[in-house]
């Protein structure tokens, strides 16, 4: 007789997070599984395709599969001895290749994970591989977070793999017994997926110019580097996720001209890259980068490297193709107050903590703070969540020559020191590891940095800004963030309201639309339709929806053009398919809703989506 989730928890010991309720990703997945009519108590029978079908799929995925096989071999050495199974599946969730420790492959849990088996979420329930495909994002599913109770002893982590166009072409998965799981496995899998994506982009873009970019020259050859592919005319063809992060806020989409991103003629930069190997760039927001050419077309147009008669006359204004970074919409009183408070704080050189949901405009506010400060140094933005864990200390504080394997002979001054005389923004501060939080606190106390492997200190004068969408008070309570560091950073705290609560919503929509296409317009009915959406992604999500709406071919956005890109309300789960554990989660949501009084506050308090709140309230 199948155990309920609650009984299984009691029998096996809790294999869920300490708070006893899975996160939003798992809860949303459970909802999809229930809608698909899956029974969590049933014995999971994983479908397996015929051998001929499997072979055809392997041939269709030949290039990405070869790249994945190399990463699977590397991962097998990195996590050896942990009762593991590693798999690469195609975009349909069908496993093409796998590596397994005999202790896992011979177990009951490992028996169903074979080449040709399909782990799509709608067939095999919540699992790392299938849920990563369903969400399009890396995911970890631990123990009884799996929808089927029979997988309660398994822990798995997976990351989708995208091609140069951004389409998912496969997924990488690492599974192990719950008690054998390793904390670093998720990071290793994501790094392996990035290796595959970068290799695939280089292969697919082999007839184009592929550039690596990074704020620091020494990291051009690492996973920290962004990759950009341009055609011979200097139009952006493809980019990896890291490049999107480095160029955040710019129109880094296929078709955008090189000079709109960097304010230089592509012909000039390409010529310099061929001569020098590397070239310094400054993006349209003024951030400094270093570029290196990884590959270029074997056949180039004779005019490709022909220099213009007057190069200086051809250089576009850095803001020619984008909305000016200082032209923020501040008609909402709360936003206007935030900008005014920031201006007053930087005049006194006080540390600033910028809070608000992701996509609310914290970096734009930070750049406004830098301009208002009158400082002549650089504005340096550091995404703490995007830096590889093994490099983050060296990247922030610098290092001396030979401090670690792969270090440059001359060392590096580090990102903090590079902002000397200017402004340092630590974005996604909540992602900073605890040991580095202590180092940052010391820097705030004495304003001196010591490079990794060095003994000498260097005084640095920076305007420090920190930004986060996380609840740092809750992180302090959970002992994931230092209370003393929060006190120092919280000298002046500024919160930006989410887009759905702004009183200048219509003005904001028109401003974003103008940034996408200055000739476009939008009807009042379309704005009203947009206002009914919750906008969990705020301005980033709004820009995406408006861009897709414009692809319909009309420069005047109608309500019908935006409707397809807004999510519809989710249907209620099928009766009889909700486990006791899911019922407990629903009860927690209902209690929080009664306490908060509205859906948005409930979603923020629990860290889940509004859709999940609505589903549980039903």
């Amino acid at each position: 007789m199948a155990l309920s989730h609650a009984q299984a928890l009691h029998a096996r010991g809790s294999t869920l997070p300490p708070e006893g309720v899975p996160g939003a990703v798992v809860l949303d997945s459970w909802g999809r599984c229930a809608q698909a009519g899956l029974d969590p108590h049933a014995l999971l029978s994983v479908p397996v395709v015929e051998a001929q079908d499997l072979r055809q799929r392997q041939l269709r995925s030949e290039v990405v599969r070869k790249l994945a096989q190399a990463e699977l071999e590397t991962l097998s050495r990195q996590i050896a001895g942990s009762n593991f199974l590693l798999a690469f599946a195609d975009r349909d969730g069908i496993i093409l290749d796998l590596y397994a420790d005999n202790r896992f492959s011979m177990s009951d849990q490992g028996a169903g994970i074979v080449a040709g088996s399909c782990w799509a979420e709608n067939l095999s329930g919540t699992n790392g591989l299938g849920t990563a495909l369903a969400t399009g994002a890396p995911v970890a599913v631990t123990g009884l977070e799996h929808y089927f109770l029979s997988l309660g002893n398994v822990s798995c982590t997976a990351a989708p793999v995208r091609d140069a166009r951004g389409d998912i072409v496969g997924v990488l998965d690492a599974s192990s017994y719950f008690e054998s799981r390793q904390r670093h496995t998720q990071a290793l899998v994501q790094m392996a997926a990035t290796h595959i994506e970068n290799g695939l982009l280089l292969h697919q873009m082999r007839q184009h110019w592929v550039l690596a970019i990074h704020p620091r020259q020494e990291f051009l050859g690492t996973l920290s580097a962004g990759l950009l592919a341009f055609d011979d005319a200097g139009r952006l063809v493809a980019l990896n996720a890291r490049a999107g992060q480095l160029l955040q806020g710019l129109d880094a989409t296929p078709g955008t001209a090189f000079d709109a991103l960097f304010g230089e003629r592509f012909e000039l930069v390409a010529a310099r890259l061929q001569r020098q190997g590397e070239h310094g760039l400054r993006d349209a927001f003024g951030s400094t980068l270093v570029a290196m050419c990884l590959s270029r077309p074997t056949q180039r147009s004779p005019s490709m490297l022909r220099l213009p008669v007057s190069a200086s006359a051809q250089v576009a204004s850095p803001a020619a193709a984008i909305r000016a970074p200082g032209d923020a919409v501040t008609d909402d009183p709360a936003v206007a107050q935030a900008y005014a408070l920031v201006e007053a704080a930087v005049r006194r050189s006080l540390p600033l903590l910028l809070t608000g949901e992701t996509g609310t405009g914290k970096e734009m506010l930070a750049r406004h703070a830098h301009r208002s400060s009158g400082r002549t140094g650089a504005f340096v933005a550091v995404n703490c969540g995007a830096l590889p864990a093994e490099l983050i200390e060296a990247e922030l504080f610098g290092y001396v020559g030979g401090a670690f394997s792969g270090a440059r002979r001359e060392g590096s001054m580090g990102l903090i020191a590079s902002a000397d005389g200017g402004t340092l923004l630590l974005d996604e501060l909540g992602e900073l590891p605890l040991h580095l939080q202590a180092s940052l606190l010391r820097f705030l106390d004495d304003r001196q940095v010591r490079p990794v492997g060095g003994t000498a200190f260097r005084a640095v004068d920076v305007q420090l800004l920190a930004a986060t969408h996380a609840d740092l008070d809750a992180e302090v309570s959970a002992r994931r963030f230092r209370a003393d560091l929060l006190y120092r950073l919280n000298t002046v705290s500024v919160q930006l309201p989410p887009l759905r609560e702004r009183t200048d919503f219509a003005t904001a929509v028109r401003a974003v639309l103008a940034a996408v296409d200055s000739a476009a317009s939008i009807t009042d009915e379309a704005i009203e339709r947009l206002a009914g959406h919750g906008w969990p992604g705020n301005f980033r999500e709004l820009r995406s929806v408006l861009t897709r709406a414009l692809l319909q071919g009309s420069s005047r956005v109608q309500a019908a053009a935006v409707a397809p890109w807004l999510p519809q309300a989710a249907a209620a789960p099928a009766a009889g398919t909700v486990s006791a554990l899911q019922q407990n989660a629903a009860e927690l949501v209902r209690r929080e809703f009664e306490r908060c009084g509205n859906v948005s506050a409930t979603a923020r308090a629990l860290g889940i989506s509004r859709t999940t709140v609505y589903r549980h309230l039903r």
Side-chain angles (χ1 to χ4, degrees):
M1 178 178 178
L3 294 173
S4 69
H5 272 102
Q7 291 170 325
L9 282 171
H10 178 73
R12 300 173 185 166
S14 176
T15 59
L16 285 172
E19 62 271 20
V21 176
V25 172
V26 172
L27 289 175
D28 286 339
S29 174
W30 283 0
R32 292 191 296 269
C33 294
Q35 291 169 18
L38 302 182
D39 180 2
H41 304 281
L43 180 64
L44 173 61
S45 178
V46 182
V48 181
V49 301
E50 298 290 337
Q52 184 178 359
D53 185 6
L54 174 61
R55 182 56 185 158
Q56 290 176 345
R57 289 175 180 272
Q58 290 173 332
L59 289 174
R60 285 198 298 268
S61 302
E62 182 177 8
V63 174
V64 66
R65 186 171 163 240
K66 287 182 178 178
L67 293 168
Q69 286 172 340
E71 294 303 320
L72 289 174
E73 291 179 3
T74 300
L75 280 171
S76 68
R77 294 191 296 269
Q78 290 173 328
I79 62 175
S82 58
N83 299 333
F84 68 91
L85 183 145
L86 305 171
F88 178 73
D90 65 12
R91 62 187 178 187
D92 296 323
I94 294 173
I95 292 179
L96 304 182
D97 296 283
L98 56 83
Y99 288 71
D101 182 342
N102 287 336
R103 287 167 292 181
F104 188 90
S105 60
M106 296 173 61
S107 67
D108 292 339
Q109 287 81 7
I113 311 178
V114 298
S117 58
C118 180
W119 289 84
E121 187 186 73
N122 64 328
L123 297 175
S124 299
T126 305
N127 69 89
L129 193 156
T131 303
L133 285 174
T135 60
V139 65
V141 179
T142 300
L144 290 177
E145 289 181 340
H146 288 86
Y147 189 75
F148 283 95
L149 294 168
S150 57
L151 296 176
N153 284 334
V154 175
S155 176
C156 53
T157 181
V161 174
R162 298 179 183 273
D163 66 8
R165 293 177 295 275
D167 297 328
I168 294 178
V169 293
V171 60
L172 203 62
D173 176 271
S175 299
S176 67
Y177 292 129
F178 175 80
E179 63 273 11
S180 301
R181 72 193 190 285
Q182 299 181 12
R183 294 185 180 275
H184 65 276
T185 301
Q186 186 170 8
L188 292 175
V189 169
Q190 291 183 36
M191 290 174 67
T194 302
H195 270 298
I196 298 172
E197 290 178 340
N198 288 351
L200 191 57
L201 186 147
L202 284 167
H203 173 79
Q204 293 178 317
M205 297 292 112
R206 58 191 180 278
Q207 293 304 318
H208 295 289
W209 293 80
V210 180
L211 310 184
I213 61 170
H214 195 276
R216 304 299 302 169
Q217 182 185 40
E218 58 267 30
F219 293 111
L220 285 174
T222 71
L223 290 180
S224 296
L227 302 186
L228 300 166
F230 294 92
D231 62 17
D232 276 355
R235 292 184 297 266
L236 184 63
V237 180
L239 71 163
N240 68 354
R242 178 60 176 145
Q245 294 169 350
L246 291 172
L247 300 178
Q248 187 176 15
L250 300 177
D251 186 19
T253 55
T256 299
F258 183 90
D259 58 5
L261 296 172
F262 302 109
E264 293 188 63
R265 294 282 293 180
F266 183 64
E267 297 96 323
L268 295 172
V269 174
R272 290 168 185 157
L273 285 171
Q274 288 190 94
R275 293 195 306 268
Q276 305 168 4
E278 296 175 357
H279 177 65
L281 294 173
R282 186 178 295 274
D283 69 23
F285 279 145
S287 299
T288 57
L289 297 165
V290 182
M292 176 175 66
C293 183
L294 299 183
S295 68
R296 56 190 177 90
T298 53
Q299 298 291 331
R300 300 192 308 282
S301 167
S303 63
M304 178 60 218
L305 298 179
R306 187 180 301 141
L307 300 183
V309 175
S310 175
S312 61
Q314 300 293 326
V315 177
S317 165
I322 62 169
R323 187 173 179 83
D327 193 11
V329 177
T330 59
D331 292 349
D332 181 276
V335 178
Q337 183 181 11
Y339 272 73
L341 184 58
V342 160
E343 292 172 4
V346 295
R347 284 196 292 267
R348 296 174 177 268
S349 299
L350 299 174
L352 270 165
L353 179 62
L354 312 180
T355 63
E357 296 179 8
T358 181
T360 50
K362 295 187 292 294
E363 183 169 347
M364 180 176 283
L365 179 58
R367 292 182 182 276
H368 177 75
H370 175 60
R371 289 190 299 271
S372 301
S373 70
R375 289 175 167 263
T376 58
F379 174 86
V380 178
V382 181
N383 188 325
C384 299
L387 294 175
E390 68 276 11
L391 298 176
I392 186 169
E393 184 173 11
E395 187 145 7
L396 283 176
F397 294 94
Y399 60 84
V400 298
F404 53 86
S405 177
R408 289 166 58 91
R409 183 182 305 171
E410 63 272 27
S412 168
M413 67 188 301
L415 291 171
I416 294 178
S418 69
D420 193 11
T423 301
L424 176 69
L425 169 64
L426 297 178
D427 201 3
E428 302 297 348
L429 182 70
E431 301 294 327
L432 196 66
L434 276 170
H435 73 282
L436 287 181
Q437 292 177 26
S439 300
L440 180 59
L441 183 63
R442 286 195 298 271
F443 169 69
L444 288 174
D445 286 336
D446 57 23
R447 299 290 172 153
Q448 295 189 83
V449 295
R450 184 180 65 181
V452 174
T455 57
F457 286 85
R458 170 180 174 171
V460 178
D461 173 28
V462 298
Q463 168 66 57
L464 184 64
L465 309 176
T468 182
H469 68 274
D471 183 346
L472 292 185
D473 288 323
E475 293 295 291
V476 169
S477 298
R479 297 186 178 181
R480 290 188 293 264
F481 199 85
R482 293 179 63 109
D484 47 3
L485 177 58
L486 178 58
Y487 297 150
R488 290 298 308 275
L489 293 173
N490 207 16
T491 303
V492 177
S493 180
V494 178
Q495 183 170 19
L496 286 173
L499 182 59
R500 60 184 171 273
E501 295 178 6
R502 289 181 59 146
T503 58
D504 57 355
F505 180 82
T507 305
V509 170
R510 291 191 174 93
V512 173
L513 182 63
V516 175
D517 184 347
S518 59
S521 61
I522 187 170
T523 66
D524 291 340
E525 291 78 10
I527 291 179
E528 185 177 353
R529 178 69 181 85
L530 292 171
H533 179 49
W535 300 109
N538 293 289
F539 280 94
R540 292 196 190 102
E541 185 184 5
L542 175 60
R543 184 186 182 98
S544 176
V545 168
L546 292 175
T547 301
R548 292 175 179 178
L550 287 173
L551 293 177
Q552 303 299 313
S554 173
S555 62
R556 185 164 175 80
V557 178
Q558 308 282 343
V562 301
W565 310 113
L566 299 178
Q568 303 299 313
T577 62
V578 181
S579 70
L581 187 59
Q582 288 168 279
Q583 291 173 352
N584 291 340
E587 181 59 30
L588 174 66
V589 171
R590 285 192 290 269
R591 287 199 306 268
E592 188 64 23
F593 175 76
E594 291 172 358
R595 186 184 73 83
C596 295
N598 68 74
V599 171
S600 296
T602 302
R604 286 196 299 271
L606 296 177
I608 60 179
S609 70
R610 286 159 49 99
T611 301
T612 300
V613 175
Y614 280 120
R615 181 182 299 129
H616 286 304
L617 291 180
R618 290 191 184 95

